Amino acid sequence: TETFDYVVCASGHYSFPNYPSFDGFDTFQGRVLHAHDFRDATEFKGKDLLLIGTSYSAEDIASQCWKYGAKSIAISHRTKPIGYPTWPKEIAEVPLLTKVVSNPEPDENGELEQG
């Protein structure tokens, strides 16, 4: 079970950002930011981040956010993980996001639905 404060879409630094679409994105109550608009990692200090994409921009953003104190960073990949064996323990590579669950309710075991 994972809960994130922010979602960063790291699909490249281009003139016209490509925002992926996932079920529930419209109800997500955190900030959704494209890599094109990323400027300063300090705003993510102490936050749990989900980066969608495995390009150079995802690597750069993950590294910067870790350096400036992000609590945890999950890098969500569609095709294959970046695969660095030396990522800091706060950075994990996970399969592609399938849906967003905002304000999920714990199940009978106190677990939150992963989304």
Side-chain angles (χ1 to χ4, degrees), residues 70-87:
K71 182 178 172 184
S72 71
I73 303 161
I75 302 173
S76 179
H77 56 86
R78 179 179 50 202
T79 52
K80 66 178 187 172
I82 298 167
Y84 290 139
T86 58
W87 279 123

Side-chain angles (χ1 to χ4, degrees), residues 5-22:
D5 299 306
Y6 294 88
V7 173
V8 177
C9 298
S11 51
H13 292 283
Y14 298 104
S15 296
F16 300 102
N18 177 24
Y19 284 88
S21 177
F22 296 98

Side-chain angles (χ1 to χ4, degrees), residues 4-109:
F4 300 98
D5 299 306
Y6 294 88
V7 173
V8 177
C9 298
S11 51
H13 292 283
Y14 298 104
S15 296
F16 300 102
N18 177 24
Y19 284 88
S21 177
F22 296 98
D23 288 341
F25 240 22
D26 57 333
T27 63
F28 181 65
Q29 300 195 4
R31 182 172 177 202
V32 177
L33 174 72
H34 192 279
H36 179 268
D37 301 313
F38 179 83
R39 298 291 180 265
D40 186 3
T42 58
E43 80 172 275
F44 302 110
K45 182 177 182 175
K47 303 294 184 184
D48 296 305
L49 306 178
L50 173 64
L51 301 180
I52 300 172
T54 55
S55 67
Y56 294 122
S57 55
E59 297 172 30
D60 291 345
I61 291 170
S63 297
Q64 285 294 309
C65 289
W66 173 77
K67 179 180 175 182
Y68 285 95
K71 182 178 172 184
S72 71
I73 303 161
I75 302 173
S76 179
H77 56 86
R78 179 179 50 202
T79 52
K80 66 178 187 172
I82 298 167
Y84 290 139
T86 58
W87 279 123
K89 66 179 176 21
E90 296 85 3
I91 300 177
E93 296 183 80
V94 298
L96 184 64
L97 177 72
T98 56
K99 67 179 177 178
V100 175
V101 179
S102 293
N103 298 322
E105 294 293 325
D107 65 15
E108 64 277 354
N109 298 320

